[in-house]
Amino acid sequence: MMNLNQAVVLITGANRGLGLAFAKEALTRGAKKVYAAARNPASIQLEGVVPVQLDVTSAAEVQRVAQELGDVTLLINNAGVAETGPILGDNAVDMIQRQLEVNLYGPLRLSQAFAPVLKANGGGAIVNVLSIASWITGPLLATYSVTKSAAWSMTNALRQELAAQHTQVLALHVGFIDTDLTKGMEVPKVTPEFVVQRTYQGLEQGASQVLADEPTQQVHAALSGYPDIYLNALPQHG
């Protein structure tokens, strides 16, 4: 069970969108320190945070940051990318590889590097930002879904392995969020602020999973009862 008051938080991809909302709310909830990480730390404009240069695809940078930020008690693996295109497209393998570097290997690198830090600081917590696309897919987000499914499985394994050191691992699943990532998509969206509120509430309640919006809750509930959801759940856009 993670209390944001007096926590030391590291957020990847914190320069905009959901990551920025995570940083703002952490400060509001009384975090002792908020490290806001981005490839270009100059893009971090939020007052009150500590900008950190970090490319999550660089093992060397991840190790450097883990060595420098020895006081972290909450790691939020928020950085992510999404590319659109069908699974049988000529460049599908390249697309998956690019997205895996950020959506799967990035959070895994960070979790491996910060697990000893969290242990030394009493256990702490990790939040992995996943997606409704961890469970369902469609032609528009086919390659993205592959990477989020892999990240979901990794998160579950991470939770099991870190239980012994009392590190809470929370999987955030959500549909479309109103950020730059979904600009131009004519679909129902929730605000970043709403998602962040639900996530921090889940952390403070000791949850291992947050289903942030109604579509995600519906899909999760339907997985066992209606196998057809794998075929029909995502609207066909693009």
Side-chain angles (χ1 to χ4, degrees), residues 82-160:
E83 297 185 26
T84 57
I87 203 69
L88 292 180
D90 291 340
N91 60 342
V93 170
D94 291 337
M95 290 171 64
I96 290 172
Q97 288 177 336
R98 285 193 298 268
Q99 292 172 93
L100 281 173
E101 281 295 328
V102 179
N103 297 345
L104 175 64
Y105 302 138
L108 179 56
R109 289 186 186 99
L110 267 297
S111 299
Q112 288 176 327
F114 275 92
V117 175
L118 297 176
K119 181 179 180 179
N121 294 328
I126 297 173
V127 173
N128 283 346
V129 177
L130 303 175
S131 173
I132 193 174
S134 303
W135 303 315
I136 56 173
T137 190
L140 183 65
L141 293 173
T143 60
Y144 173 76
S145 296
V146 170
T147 67
K148 285 299 185 178
S149 293
W152 175 45
S153 182
M154 181 272 290
T155 302
N156 294 336
L158 195 65
R159 185 182 302 110
Q160 295 171 15

Side-chain angles (χ1 to χ4, degrees), residues 37-62:
R39 289 186 179 184
N40 176 15
S43 65
I44 303 293
Q45 301 294 322
L46 179 62
E47 186 176 349
V49 303
V50 180
V52 174
Q53 180 177 347
L54 175 62
D55 178 352
V56 302
T57 69
S58 168
E61 288 197 19
V62 168

Side-chain angles (χ1 to χ4, degrees), residues 8-77:
V8 178
V9 189
L10 169 61
I11 305 163
T12 65
N15 56 322
R16 61 180 183 173
L18 187 62
L20 178 58
F22 268 122
K24 288 180 178 178
E25 184 62 20
L27 292 173
T28 298
R29 288 178 178 249
K32 181 179 180 180
K33 189 183 296 182
V34 177
Y35 295 112
R39 289 186 179 184
N40 176 15
S43 65
I44 303 293
Q45 301 294 322
L46 179 62
E47 186 176 349
V49 303
V50 180
V52 174
Q53 180 177 347
L54 175 62
D55 178 352
V56 302
T57 69
S58 168
E61 288 197 19
V62 168
Q63 289 300 320
R64 172 185 57 78
V65 169
Q67 290 170 5
E68 292 176 352
L69 309 184
D71 54 351
V72 168
T73 61
L74 172 59
L75 167 64
I76 301 179
N77 285 311

Side-chain angles (χ1 to χ4, degrees), residues 4 26 49 53 55 64 122 132 156 161 179 214 216 220 230:
L4 266 293
V49 303
Q53 180 177 347
D55 178 352
R64 172 185 57 78
I132 193 174
N156 294 336
E161 292 194 26
T179 66
E214 187 174 344
T216 302
H220 185 264
Y230 290 107

Side-chain angles (χ1 to χ4, degrees), residues 128-238:
N128 283 346
V129 177
L130 303 175
S131 173
I132 193 174
S134 303
W135 303 315
I136 56 173
T137 190
L140 183 65
L141 293 173
T143 60
Y144 173 76
S145 296
V146 170
T147 67
K148 285 299 185 178
S149 293
W152 175 45
S153 182
M154 181 272 290
T155 302
N156 294 336
L158 195 65
R159 185 182 302 110
Q160 295 171 15
E161 292 194 26
L162 291 180
Q165 70 174 46
H166 306 292
T167 297
Q168 180 183 356
V169 177
L170 187 148
L172 166 60
H173 293 276
V174 63
F176 294 101
I177 306 172
D178 191 9
T179 66
D180 290 345
L181 200 65
T182 62
K183 191 173 293 184
M185 294 185 181
E186 297 299 324
V187 294
K189 302 173 187 177
V190 292
T191 66
E193 292 76 16
F194 175 81
V195 175
V196 167
Q197 290 280 355
R198 294 293 302 270
T199 304
Y200 283 149
Q201 288 169 7
L203 265 181
E204 293 175 346
Q205 293 166 2
S208 60
Q209 178 173 267
V210 166
L211 311 177
D213 58 342
E214 187 174 344
T216 302
Q217 295 163 16
Q218 292 174 343
V219 167
H220 185 264
L223 288 176
S224 60
Y226 300 94
D228 285 354
I229 198 164
Y230 290 107
L231 305 176
N232 300 325
L234 276 185
Q236 306 302 310
H237 295 283

